[in-house]
């Protein structure tokens, strides 16, 4: 009849546990009553906020998030950096649930910049493992298929390991026919590099005579970006509370809140 006889809850999304909801820590032990009470209060506040958002006249069609602060959060709690990234991944999964519930059709997250590729090899290895597991788990999740969520990755894929690219192909192929929601993950992404690719494409077409100078306008640039098939973001959030845009969707967020 002791705690050791209680069954450990199933993992959510196949990657991380909903520690807040279930009241279990990573070792399988029940968290303290104060933590569980906080979870109940947090759930009540969340439900109230969701009702308020649903009633608000302004609707979000495209939400973009700069994922930031995982390392600083871990360090502030004297935790390993990898744990901070895992907790950030768990929160992202929860946000994706909110996006579906609020009927936000486009959801884009900035997970790894080209500059981030200069981080220590050990940290990158941990991130790559999270991306691989996360992409495969999401591609197999019934909620993704029930809600017809298309999963796509944008960025310099050639800079990523083969194992990550394999997981990318798996997720994209399994959701390629869906069009109700679009979940975009930016990996090895940089907005300046994206715009340079668009400029080079325009220059090549103009040089060959396929594109007249007078035909080069905003729409011509937009359709050559990685996000060509998506509307510009309505709302951009940086999770750490910082106010930098960090080379993220520089062209697309010109009029974003």
């Amino acid at each position: 009849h002791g705690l050791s006889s209680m069954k450990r809850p199933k993992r959510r999304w196949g990657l991380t546990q909903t520690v807040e909801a279930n009241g279990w820590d990573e070792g399988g032990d029940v968290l303290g009553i104060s933590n569980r009470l906080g979870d109940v209060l947090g759930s009540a506040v969340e439900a109230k906020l969701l009702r308020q958002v649903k009633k608000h006249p302004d609707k979000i069609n495209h939400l973009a998030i700069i994922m930031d602060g995982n390392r600083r959060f871990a360090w502030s709690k004297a935790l390993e950096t990898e744990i901070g990234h895992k907790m950030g991944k768990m929160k992202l999964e929860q946000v994706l649930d909110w996006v579906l519930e609020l009927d936000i059709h486009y959801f884009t997250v900035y997970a790894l910049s080209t500059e981030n590729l200069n981080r220590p090899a050990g940290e990158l290895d941990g991130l790559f493992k999270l991306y691989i597991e996360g992409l495969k788990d999401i591609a197999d999740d019934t909620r993704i298929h029930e809600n017809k969520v298309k999963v796509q990755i944008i960025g310099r894929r050639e800079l990523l390991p083969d194992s990550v690219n394999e997981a990318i192909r798996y997720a994209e192929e399994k959701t390629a026919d869906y069009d109700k929601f679009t979940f975009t993950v930016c990996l090895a992404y940089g907005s300046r590099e994206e715009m340079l690719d668009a400029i080079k494409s325009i220059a090549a077409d103009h040089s060959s005579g396929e594109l007249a100078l007078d035909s080069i306008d905003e729409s011509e640039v937009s359709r050559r970006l990685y996000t060509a098939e998506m509307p510009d973001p309505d709302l951009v959030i940086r999770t750490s509370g910082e106010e930098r845009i960090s080379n993220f969707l520089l062209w697309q967020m010109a009029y974003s809140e």
Side-chain angles (χ1 to χ4, degrees), residues 72-174:
R72 291 192 295 276
F73 173 80
W75 296 340
S76 71
K77 304 295 183 182
L79 300 171
E80 295 291 336
T81 298
E82 185 176 353
I83 295 177
H85 289 310
K86 287 183 177 180
M87 294 182 73
K89 186 68 174 68
M90 181 171 66
K91 181 57 65 174
L92 174 62
E93 293 161 1
Q94 186 178 19
V95 173
L96 183 56
D97 280 337
W98 295 340
V99 165
L100 297 175
E101 186 170 355
L102 293 171
D103 204 31
I104 298 173
H105 294 280
Y106 296 90
F107 180 40
T108 301
V109 296
Y110 195 11
L112 185 74
S113 70
T114 49
E115 292 86 356
N116 290 154
L117 293 172
N118 295 320
R119 289 185 176 182
E123 182 179 351
L124 286 176
D125 288 342
L127 284 171
F128 293 149
K129 289 178 181 178
L130 277 180
Y131 300 148
I132 292 168
E133 294 174 2
L135 286 168
K136 290 182 176 179
D137 290 341
I138 286 178
D140 291 334
D141 194 280
T142 56
R143 286 170 294 180
I144 292 294
H145 300 286
E146 289 172 354
N147 290 283
K148 306 297 182 184
V149 181
K150 179 179 181 179
V151 180
Q152 64 180 14
I153 284 70
I154 61 174
R156 294 283 180 88
R157 300 189 187 192
E158 69 275 12
L159 302 179
L160 298 170
D162 291 341
S163 54
V164 176
N165 277 300
E166 181 181 345
I168 289 172
R169 287 191 293 271
Y170 180 77
E172 290 186 332
E173 288 173 2
K174 291 204 68 173

Side-chain angles (χ1 to χ4, degrees), residues 14-85:
L15 176 59
T16 51
Q17 291 171 284
T18 50
V19 175
E20 294 91 351
N22 294 320
W24 292 70
D25 66 8
E26 187 63 25
D29 297 321
V30 177
L31 294 174
I33 184 63
S34 60
N35 285 342
R36 285 180 281 138
L37 179 59
D39 295 338
V40 172
L41 294 175
S43 296
V45 171
E46 176 188 320
K48 181 179 179 180
L49 287 173
L50 282 173
R51 289 195 299 270
Q52 291 176 340
V53 171
K54 287 181 177 179
K55 292 180 180 179
H56 200 281
D58 294 330
K59 303 301 179 183
I60 302 298
N61 188 43
H62 186 177
L63 171 65
I65 291 182
I66 301 173
M67 297 175 62
D68 184 39
N70 293 335
R71 291 192 302 173
R72 291 192 295 276
F73 173 80
W75 296 340
S76 71
K77 304 295 183 182
L79 300 171
E80 295 291 336
T81 298
E82 185 176 353
I83 295 177
H85 289 310

